[in-house]
């Protein structure tokens, strides 16, 4: 069960914090270092789909961790560092006089901190989680590149899961409550995975985020042209993750795409990572 719990702490996407109900033992620390990329995209999902100005490559270097305060309560954190390049932009400087500018921006994304508490553990495991996403992203007015939402986000969730020997299932449901006149979101998703050999696991997942469209944040026109962290982003995502594990150390790889969306890239994301439990 300890090895299964370690595996379940992995999460593959660009907005990623823990989505499982298992908590760390008191004093244990889990760390996952990962890299995610969405390369050379110029089309976004929408109603209808639309193209953006330029061709964007979005890279995320991320540290995710979880520490056990008690056997039932864990502190979780996620620190993303973004590197976003907008190639082939028509005119990165839209105002005069034109300062020196670059089509690439590297900065922190929205750092996340939170608490997860286990409520029930008899066959099924149920937990409540509250994640606070801090307004630590930045924005370049000349290129329209934004590395995170210009808002604080509070995400309460109910998590449930169960182990079936060599397989497991987990699910989550909750809300994104955003400040600064961004729309709030409804979230639901689940994962199913299994052990296919002594050291290899395969996990499939589905995540759905739907906007309530109840916000009217006023974003710069350059930001709207790139579609980076704008309002009413939503998606139905699916993907597959593979894990190669040796005791408490492991390597992960996966991909994710979407079957519907709004204001998000119409391009698959690929992720690689390494994790350890101390």
């Amino acid at each position: 069960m300890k090895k299964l719990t370690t595996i379940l702490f992995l999460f593959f996407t660009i907005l990623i914090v823990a989505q499982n109900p298992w908590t760390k033992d008191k004093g244990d620390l889990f760390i996952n270092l990962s890299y995610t990329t969405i390369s050379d995209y110029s089309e976004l999902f929408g109603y209808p789909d639309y193209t953006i100005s330029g061709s964007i490559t979005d890279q995320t270097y991320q540290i995710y961790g979880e520490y056990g305060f008690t056997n039932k309560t864990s502190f979780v954190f996620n620190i993303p560092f973004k590197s976003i390049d907008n190639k082939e932009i028509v005119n990165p400087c839209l105002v005069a006089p034109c300062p020196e500018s670059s089509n690439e921006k590297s900065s922190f994304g929205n750092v996340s901190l939170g608490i997860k508490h286990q409520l029930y553990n008899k066959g099924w495991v149920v937990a409540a989680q509250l994640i606070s996403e801090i307004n630590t992203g930045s924005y370049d007015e000349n290129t329209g590149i934004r590395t995170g939402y210009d808002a604080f986000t509070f995400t309460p969730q109910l998590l449930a899961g169960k182990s079936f020997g060599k397989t497991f299932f987990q699910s989550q449901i909750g809300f994104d409550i955003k400040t600064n006149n961004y729309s709030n979101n409804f979230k639901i998703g689940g994962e199913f995975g299994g052990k296919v050999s002594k050291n290899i696991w395969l996990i499939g997942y589905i995540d759905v985020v739907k906007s309530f469209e109840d916000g009217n944040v006023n974003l710069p026109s350059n930001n709207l042209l790139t579609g980076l962290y704008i309002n009413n982003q939503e998606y139905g995502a699916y993907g597959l993750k593979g894990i190669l594990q040796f005791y408490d150390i492991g390597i992960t790889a996966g991909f994710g795409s979407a079957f519907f969306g709004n204001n998000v890239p119409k391009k698959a994301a690929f992720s690689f990572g390494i994790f350890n439990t101390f």
Side-chain angles (χ1 to χ4, degrees), residues 168-262:
F168 71 90
F169 170 78
Q170 65 185 35
S171 61
Q172 71 277 342
I173 187 170
F175 302 91
D176 287 329
I177 303 169
K178 295 183 178 291
T179 64
N180 203 19
N181 290 323
Y182 279 86
S183 293
N184 303 306
N185 300 325
F186 170 74
K187 308 179 68 167
I188 190 169
E191 293 188 350
F192 180 78
K195 196 171 186 178
V196 297
S197 70
K198 181 179 179 180
N199 301 107
I200 298 176
W201 292 72
L202 288 179
I203 302 169
Y205 71 87
I206 293 178
D207 279 313
V208 176
V209 174
K210 286 291 291 181
S211 173
F212 288 119
E213 299 183 0
D214 54 353
N216 58 357
V217 59
N218 185 21
L219 296 173
S221 59
N222 280 9
N223 189 187
L224 298 176
L225 289 174
T226 63
L228 291 165
Y229 297 95
I230 61 177
N231 200 24
N232 294 321
Q233 289 187 315
E234 58 184 20
Y235 55 85
Y238 64 91
L240 184 68
K241 298 179 281 188
I243 299 171
L244 176 62
Q245 183 180 11
F246 301 96
Y247 300 101
D248 289 335
I249 299 175
I251 299 170
T252 66
F255 82 94
S257 191
F259 50 87
F260 80 85
N262 185 47

Side-chain angles (χ1 to χ4, degrees), residues 20 37 53 58 71 94 100 107 113 134 141 150 152 162 199 214 232 243:
N20 68 82
T37 181
S53 177
D58 187 336
N71 290 337
L94 301 180
E100 183 177 347
S107 179
L113 305 172
I134 305 169
E141 62 181 5
D150 184 21
F152 289 82
K162 182 175 174 60
N199 301 107
D214 54 353
N232 294 321
I243 299 171

Side-chain angles (χ1 to χ4, degrees), residues 2 24-25 27-32 67 248 275-278:
K2 183 176 181 180
K24 296 295 293 177
D25 291 336
D28 282 356
L29 174 65
F30 171 86
I31 295 291
N32 182 33
Y67 176 78
D248 289 335
F275 66 88
N276 196 9
T277 299
F278 303 90

